[in-house]
Amino acid sequence: LQVKYGAKMPIHTPHLIVRSVRAFSDNYIWLIDAPLAPAHVVVVDPGDAAPVIAELQRSGASLAAILLTHHHPDHIGGVPELLRHRAVPVIGPDDTRIAQRTRTVRDGERCDLSELGLSFEILQVPGHTVSHIAFWGHGALFCGDTLFSAGCGRMFEGNPIQMNASLTKLRSLPPDTRVFCGHEYTAANLRFALTVDPANDAALEYRDKVNRLRAADSPTLPSTMGLEIRVNPFLRCDDPAVVRAAETHAGKALEDTAAVFGVLRAWKDQFR
Ligand code: ZN
Ligand code: FE
């Protein structure tokens, strides 16, 4: 199968079949079944090649492309090894720290893999890293370490204004968007979310579901944007209860949502 870019997409965009592959202690590598190419998959953020290759062998699928959200080793570390098995396109953000990239994608651009029946819009979402991107298409969002269920990534390279803008951009996606994050952090995130916003009924209800899933060693992902808008304090920096909690924690009035976000993010960094 030859994967080219830029050709016309089929008119319908089917619901994607996505499998999770675990890596390291809490990473998820996502394998997307190519709707138009049976037994071909696209991998998102393969931090480790071994579990991906094991899943390909188990399922008899071939790798058709690699999508990367950001340069951190736990998201790209498996790329060289995967490319040794099969030379496939490597699509990622404009960042020299991703050496294996064969195609660079930027904000607002479409990433069409027509032969595979896949098409994603690229969303630039700086904050966790400056060049971080997310892939949005087919009702699914692959957002790496920008948005987690009930939380968000650490702000390694960006500032609160940038990262708050990135999360606000994601928040504007349709509520039924399925959210595929890079890590299983949901239970710990909910402990913080309920410290900030203890009377949030949706978060309390979600905690029960998450506890059940984790007790059965099942993923809590994908989430949906609609759920995240209700339970994730980092998407609720304009909610009066969240603003009040952030102001109490900071001991001062906060002038805008970015300031609220900055306080929440710093608070979470210290939270045990
Ligand atoms: Zn990361
Ligand atoms: Fe990560």
Side-chain angles (χ1 to χ4, degrees):
L1 181 95
Q2 260 287 20
V3 178
K4 299 187 293 292
Y5 304 111
K8 267 265 166 291
M9 278 305 295
I11 1 108
H12 72 110
T13 55
H15 190 73
L16 297 181
I17 296 169
V18 182
R19 285 173 268 171
S20 63
V21 171
R22 293 181 189 199
F24 312 115
S25 57
D26 48 36
N27 279 75
Y28 286 124
I29 299 169
W30 300 108
L31 283 186
I32 308 168
D33 281 13
L36 291 186
H40 283 76
V41 297
V42 169
V43 66
V44 183
D45 283 357
D48 190 5
V52 175
I53 290 166
E55 173 59 20
L56 293 175
Q57 279 166 354
R58 191 201 62 78
S59 62
S62 301
L63 188 62
I66 299 173
L67 307 182
L68 303 174
T69 63
H70 68 294
H71 75 279
H72 283 157
D74 64 313
H75 297 255
I76 70 169
V79 173
E81 171 81 19
L82 289 174
L83 292 178
R84 269 196 290 282
H85 283 253
R86 180 182 280 255
V88 297
V90 180
I91 300 154
D94 186 9
D95 194 314
T96 54
R97 296 172 294 189
I98 303 174
Q100 312 281 345
R101 191 170 83 261
T102 60
R103 188 191 169 202
T104 302
V105 286
R106 295 179 179 82
D107 192 48
E109 223 174 89
R110 287 210 78 83
C111 169
D112 286 337
L113 303 167
S114 304
E115 292 80 359
L116 304 177
L118 290 169
S119 176
F120 295 102
E121 183 174 334
I122 305 304
L123 306 171
Q124 200 83 46
V125 284
H128 179 68
T129 70
V130 281
S131 64
H132 201 304
I133 57 170
F135 295 84
W136 175 53
H138 311 265
L141 175 74
F142 297 89
C143 53
D145 290 355
T146 296
L147 177 65
F148 294 126
S149 187
C152 72
R154 278 179 189 261
M155 215 165 46
F156 286 122
E157 297 175 3
N159 60 50
I161 293 170
Q162 269 178 328
M163 189 140 186
N164 185 55
S166 296
L167 292 172
T168 302
K169 191 192 272 192
L170 297 183
R171 189 173 76 164
S172 72
L173 298 178
D176 61 354
T177 302
R178 295 192 298 160
V179 180
F180 295 89
C181 319
H183 292 266
E184 179 61 65
Y185 289 157
T186 314
N189 285 340
L190 270 172
R191 276 199 299 282
F192 178 72
L194 283 164
T195 300
V196 173
D197 193 8
N200 184 324
D201 287 334
L204 288 163
E205 197 181 304
Y206 187 39
R207 181 175 60 182
D208 292 339
K209 181 186 174 190
V210 165
N211 287 344
R212 269 198 313 278
L213 286 168
R214 295 311 294 149
D217 200 28
S218 298
T220 61
L221 302 174
S223 180
T224 65
M225 196 54 71
L227 176 66
E228 292 310 313
I229 288 168
R230 284 182 284 136
V231 304
N232 193 323
F234 296 98
L235 298 183
R236 302 171 60 80
C237 293
D238 52 358
D239 180 280
V242 173
V243 173
R244 230 179 299 121
E247 290 188 332
T248 304
H249 183 79
K252 61 176 183 187
L254 299 168
E255 62 276 19
D256 55 21
T257 57
V260 173
F261 174 82
V263 168
L264 286 185
R265 188 55 264 180
W267 183 1
K268 174 70 165 62
D269 288 344
Q270 310 298 324
F271 185 78
R272 289 287 169 275

